Amino acid sequence: MAKDSSDRLREFRAEIPRADEDFLGSVRNWKNVQVALEEEIIWLKGFTEEQAVSSEIQQLPNLLLYELRDGLLFRKGALVPSKKMRTALLWTPIDKALRLTFPLFNNNFFGIDEKIEVKLKPSEEEHPATSLLCPIKEIREAIITLPKFKLEKTDWIVINDQALFIGDPLLSLPGKTFWSKDGHLLPAGYDFEFKNLSSLLQRKYNTARDQWLLWKEDGSVLSLNKEDFRKLSVSSFRLTEKSMEWT
């Protein structure tokens, strides 16, 4: 008696244009997935059924997902195969095969180029705050009353009409807190939608680790040179305050 085909393990293949290779960074940590090159196409195999329907796969532009049956490729729900799967392909684990490339940044508050969308999402994990962004108008009176030993442990920089403080312990001032991850400063309570992007973005845009990348919840980011930070003191704060035009 023939075995019911519904009991078999489903096997998947996917193809994506080589021009869209950068997007595969979101699944590069899936150790079970392998890739192979065919002219202008990147083939992928090894997906679990859960991965095949995951948001990571569904968000990949121009990706075509197939189910492999007897050497033929079927689109989801299709009764007729789309094509025959090539057999003479050289397969390599995805994390070893892909180049780590991303589109260029712009050095002001910006959304990353439309080729790749970096999103932040609420995180269930708690992380200690390492930096604080405060409106200067709201903290001017508090700063001058803080003891010197607290100020000496804090570096700061002015961003328009706000001050960003980094220190341990963090100053007790009203403002927005951030936590640090791989050289990124992320809003408290948020993390990257795809966690592997954290180190990949640093490798591409901050190889010298001489910048802080300050993120907003909407996915926009500001790059800050670490050498532009200075030690906080009452005198440095007052000089900065005098040089600003208050409205």
Side-chain angles (χ1 to χ4, degrees):
M1 182 176 179
K3 185 176 181 181
D4 187 343
S5 60
S6 64
D7 292 336
R8 64 181 170 77
L9 184 65
R10 299 175 67 190
E11 190 173 353
F12 299 95
R13 295 288 187 275
E15 64 172 286
I16 189 171
R18 291 191 68 172
D20 294 324
E21 176 184 343
D22 293 347
F23 293 103
L24 293 176
S26 62
V27 297
R28 188 177 181 273
N29 62 334
W30 289 359
K31 305 295 185 181
N32 54 300
V33 174
Q34 295 183 310
V35 299
L37 302 181
E38 179 188 9
E39 297 178 349
E40 296 305 312
I41 292 176
I42 298 177
W43 285 98
L44 302 95
K45 73 173 184 178
F47 302 104
T48 64
E49 291 198 33
E50 291 77 14
Q51 288 172 332
V53 297
S54 67
S55 61
E56 289 90 338
I57 286 295
Q58 294 175 3
Q59 291 174 5
L60 291 175
N62 302 316
L63 180 134
L64 298 177
L65 182 67
Y66 304 96
E67 184 176 350
L68 181 65
R69 306 176 199 161
D70 300 322
L72 301 175
L73 297 173
F74 292 78
R75 295 298 304 276
K76 183 178 180 180
L79 300 177
V80 178
S82 298
K83 62 176 76 175
K84 185 176 181 180
M85 184 67 207
R86 279 194 55 183
T87 57
L89 294 174
L90 178 62
W91 296 95
T92 307
I94 189 171
D95 61 329
K96 296 181 180 179
L98 295 185
R99 301 192 305 272
L100 305 180
T101 57
F102 289 89
L104 295 176
F105 271 27
N106 154 350
N107 286 325
N108 298 308
F109 270 114
F110 62 97
I112 291 181
D113 189 272
E114 293 179 355
K115 288 180 63 180
I116 182 170
E117 185 177 7
V118 176
K119 294 182 179 180
L120 302 187
K121 67 176 183 179
S123 173
E124 297 180 356
E125 301 178 23
E126 293 187 8
H127 303 276
T130 57
S131 55
L132 179 68
L133 185 64
C134 307
I136 293 180
K137 283 185 177 181
E138 297 181 11
I139 62 169
R140 61 171 76 171
E141 299 300 329
I143 284 288
I144 61 177
T145 64
L146 291 175
K148 183 178 179 181
F149 74 89
K150 285 189 176 181
L151 301 181
E152 290 176 340
K153 296 182 179 180
T154 302
D155 295 325
W156 77 303
I157 191 172
V158 174
I159 305 173
N160 298 323
D161 61 348
Q162 300 184 88
L164 177 68
F165 301 103
I166 298 179
D168 184 18
L170 202 58
L171 298 177
S172 298
L173 296 171
K176 184 177 182 59
T177 56
F178 297 79
W179 65 285
S180 60
K181 179 179 183 178
D182 300 326
H184 301 279
L185 297 176
L186 298 171
Y190 283 78
D191 198 351
F192 291 109
E193 180 179 21
F194 304 119
K195 294 186 178 181
N196 62 310
L197 281 181
S198 173
S199 58
L200 297 183
L201 289 170
Q202 287 290 340
R203 291 179 201 173
K204 179 62 180 179
Y205 299 111
N206 193 22
T207 54
R209 296 298 175 116
D210 58 353
Q211 297 181 339
W212 286 110
L213 301 181
L214 179 69
W215 292 85
K216 296 174 68 176
E217 291 88 340
D218 63 4
S220 59
V221 64
L222 178 67
S223 58
L224 303 168
N225 290 325
K226 292 182 178 180
E227 64 181 17
D228 292 335
F229 283 77
R230 49 188 164 167
K231 288 294 180 183
L232 179 59
S233 66
V234 172
S235 60
S236 69
F237 185 83
R238 283 176 169 168
L239 286 173
T240 300
E241 185 182 10
K242 287 181 181 179
S243 67
M244 299 177 67
E245 293 182 0
W246 302 106
T247 58

